[in-house]
Amino acid sequence: MRHLLSTADLSRDDALLILDTAEQLSQVSGRSIKKLPTLRGRTVVNLFFEDSTRTRISFEAAAKRLSADVINFSAKGSSVSKGESLKDTALTLQAMGADAVVVRHGASGAPHRLANWVDGSVVNAGDGTHEHPTQALLDAFTMRRRLGDLEGRRVSIVGDVLHSRVARSNVHLLTTLGAEVTLVAPPTLLPVAMGEWPCEVSYDFDAVLPKSDVVMMLRVQHERMNASYFPSAREYSRRYGLDPERLGRMPDGAIVMHPGPMNRGMEIAAEVADSGRSTIVEQVTNGVTVRMAVLYLLLSGSEPAIGGNQ
Amino acid sequence: MNAARNQARDGEPRTGEAVPAGGRPVDGERAVLEAPDINRALTRIAHEILERAKGPDDLLLLGIPTRGALLARRLADRIEQVEGRPVACGSLDVTMYRDDLRLRPARALGRTDLPEDGVDGRIVVLVDDVLYSGRTVRAALDALNDLGRPTAVRLAVLVDRGHRELPIRADHVGKNLPTSRSETVRVCLAEIDQRDAVLLRGGQR
């Protein structure tokens, strides 16, 4: 059985297949009956050990639009708070006959472990600071809709790269799709070992800004910060925040993205988030479509059409 | 491989993207319809559709990708030539409604193109290249059901090769082609296969 654990596992053909499938499925949300019978009788378990609004709802909507049965499981109020281990939880799901497990976990690598314990497909919905593949796919889908082919497009990912699973997933996926990625962050918010990442790194947002087709702002993840990574919120915002003045220096047609949830006034100004160049609301809509495509390709056939080996 | 993907055999995968099969017959294939035959058949079907619907106004031609969609476009062009008015035309991908999804690896989706005002109140003519088991048409009927409520649904096919597994029949047929199950029928269209032909292969006749 195949899984979607990391965007690094996706070949260019796999990635394009997901995006093309999503393109066709996007019509479903415009119909009066927003439902397809394709996954009737299949069970998708949403296994969320970390808080999430949009990702969990998005996966739930996607599975339901494909007629799958959805079981939501959140760590709060479950036996996990009594000390049940991930493995025992997995075995419980296995016994219930889950065809797919969508998992979010605070520990990097938890979905990989899970993939060894269950027979169904495992979809990584965010693991620690490691990966969040469906977010990267929906970002790529949104870029493709706004800008066309991603070949040669310059994408700047700005902010708290250190704690960002979105950044890591995007670097791999966008590079696979032919885009040139630049990470922009203060040195303290970049991972230590970046030697193998297929991207450029810059500390100077203003230098990168005029050369960007896409500016993706990342949330400053206070909840994961156990030390002070920058002097003050105000200073961070002045050097790495996207304000209306910086928006004005972006090339014509360039777009602003943010995976949400936003710290308005910190990494992104409210006027920028609500401007016509911002794709933030579209990203949420596209999330459902892209997750439908992933579930369809993993679950509908006798064997999955995408995904790396476990 | 390409040939296999184009067969309208029972439950054969319908690939979303056009497979460049080439119009040249491979070993053991013989043409049962050539370009002029296909032309004449389509012209006749276009007239039949018009006559039955009493004009082009409520008509909507929906082709099933890949080759059904191309045939629907050709029929629409002919109807426009005859009537001097355009007729609504689109495509309807039925992959998500197939009953054999679990028997094969997941497959790519074809294009669905519908007019903005949908299918409600229209006379929908489904167009496909080969009618065989009837399972594709059943999937198309289910898909239509989710899209709206047409006044009537009809079926036009270029080739009817028999061996139905469901109570479905075509209203307009280009050619009835008696075949055995061991034979394969391949429809080539100039738009993607460089030439027009219907090719028959195999079987112990």
Side-chain angles (χ1 to χ4, degrees), chain A residues 135-187:
Chain A
Q135 177 70 42
L137 285 162
L138 77 89
D139 289 338
F141 182 75
T142 307
M143 288 178 212
R144 211 168 70 143
R145 287 209 131 181
R146 283 278 188 121
L147 306 171
D149 193 8
L150 295 187
E151 191 70 49
R153 293 286 182 180
R154 291 159 305 180
V155 181
S156 304
I157 302 179
V158 187
D160 185 357
V161 177
L162 178 63
H163 299 105
S164 178
R165 48 200 177 206
V166 177
R168 187 185 297 249
S169 286
N170 262 305
V171 166
H172 292 303
L173 180 68
L174 294 174
T175 307
T176 303
L177 291 171
E180 295 162 19
V181 182
T182 308
L183 297 176
V184 184

Side-chain angles (χ1 to χ4, degrees), chain B:
Chain B
M1 169 69 189
N2 282 345
R5 292 181 107 177
N6 287 333
Q7 291 154 12
R9 222 195 302 150
D10 175 27
E12 197 57 43
R14 260 168 193 285
T15 48
E17 283 306 301
V19 182
R24 197 167 300 130
V26 295
D27 266 355
E29 261 185 342
R30 62 192 173 84
V32 284
L33 289 184
E34 293 284 0
D37 306 318
I38 292 176
N39 243 325
R40 279 191 289 271
L42 289 177
T43 306
R44 174 173 54 76
I45 292 175
H47 280 101
E48 281 177 12
I49 291 172
L50 265 177
E51 202 177 343
R52 181 95 186 264
K54 302 189 170 65
D57 295 329
D58 297 330
L59 272 178
L60 169 59
L61 305 184
L62 280 184
I64 299 172
T66 307
R67 285 168 182 74
L70 299 173
L71 290 172
R73 185 69 254 163
R74 289 195 194 184
L75 286 171
D77 291 344
R78 278 178 171 72
I79 290 176
E80 186 173 349
Q81 278 167 25
V82 176
E83 292 290 313
R85 283 177 289 170
V87 60
C89 175
S91 64
L92 177 68
D93 181 57
V94 304
T95 309
M96 301 295 268
Y97 292 86
R98 296 194 71 91
D99 61 3
D100 57 356
L101 283 172
R102 290 191 186 192
L103 304 179
R104 295 162 200 288
R107 54 193 87 173
L109 301 182
R111 264 187 88 73
T112 296
D113 265 321
L114 293 173
E116 292 211 345
D117 48 352
V119 299
D120 290 344
R122 302 259 197 169
I123 297 174
V124 172
V125 181
L126 293 171
V127 183
D128 204 359
D129 51 357
V130 180
L131 179 59
Y132 185 18
S133 65
R135 288 175 189 268
T136 303
V137 177
R138 185 210 57 88
L141 290 171
D142 283 356
L144 266 183
N145 196 34
D146 280 359
L147 292 172
R149 187 177 184 279
T151 311
V153 182
R154 299 199 178 120
L155 176 61
V157 296
L158 183 60
V159 175
D160 180 351
R161 59 167 297 191
H163 305 290
R164 214 74 75 240
E165 291 162 8
L166 295 168
I168 280 169
R169 73 175 165 72
D171 300 85
H172 312 286
V173 180
K175 182 170 176 63
N176 282 303
L177 194 62
T179 57
S180 83
R181 279 178 187 273
S182 58
E183 289 169 315
T184 58
V185 176
R186 184 154 77 95
V187 171
C188 302
L189 295 175
E191 290 92 328
I192 49 176
D193 306 308
Q194 289 80 49
R195 76 153 184 168
D196 280 1
V198 175
L199 304 172
L200 183 70
R201 175 158 74 139
Q204 313 84 0
R205 303 190 85 180

Side-chain angles (χ1 to χ4, degrees), chain A residues 159-306:
Chain A
D160 185 357
V161 177
L162 178 63
H163 299 105
S164 178
R165 48 200 177 206
V166 177
R168 187 185 297 249
S169 286
N170 262 305
V171 166
H172 292 303
L173 180 68
L174 294 174
T175 307
T176 303
L177 291 171
E180 295 162 19
V181 182
T182 308
L183 297 176
V184 184
T188 49
L189 285 178
L190 286 168
V192 182
M194 296 193 54
E196 289 167 19
W197 290 34
C199 61
E200 303 282 308
V201 175
S202 169
Y203 306 130
D204 185 356
F205 191 14
D206 290 308
V208 172
L209 198 57
K211 296 181 288 185
S212 305
D213 299 308
V214 177
V215 175
M216 184 184 297
M217 303 307 296
L218 298 174
R219 183 170 65 91
V220 177
Q221 303 194 30
H222 295 291
E223 77 277 12
R224 292 188 210 273
M225 292 187 181
N226 49 12
S228 74
Y229 289 89
F230 43 83
S232 72
R234 204 172 142 211
E235 167 142 357
Y236 178 87
S237 177
R238 213 175 58 221
R239 293 203 54 191
Y240 295 100
L242 189 59
D243 54 21
E245 189 270 323
R246 283 203 170 101
L247 183 73
R249 281 190 276 132
M250 284 168 53
D252 290 341
I255 57 172
V256 177
M257 308 184 76
H258 193 300
M262 289 181 277
N263 296 319
R264 283 177 187 250
M266 178 90 179
E267 71 267 0
I268 188 165
E271 301 97 296
V272 177
D274 300 330
S275 77
R277 291 205 176 179
S278 144
T279 62
I280 295 163
V281 179
E282 270 166 73
Q283 284 171 268
V284 177
T285 313
N286 292 343
V288 178
T289 308
V290 165
R291 288 172 179 124
M292 281 172 76
V294 167
L295 291 175
Y296 165 72
L297 292 169
L298 285 177
L299 294 182
S300 77
S302 55
E303 56 188 78
I306 50 157

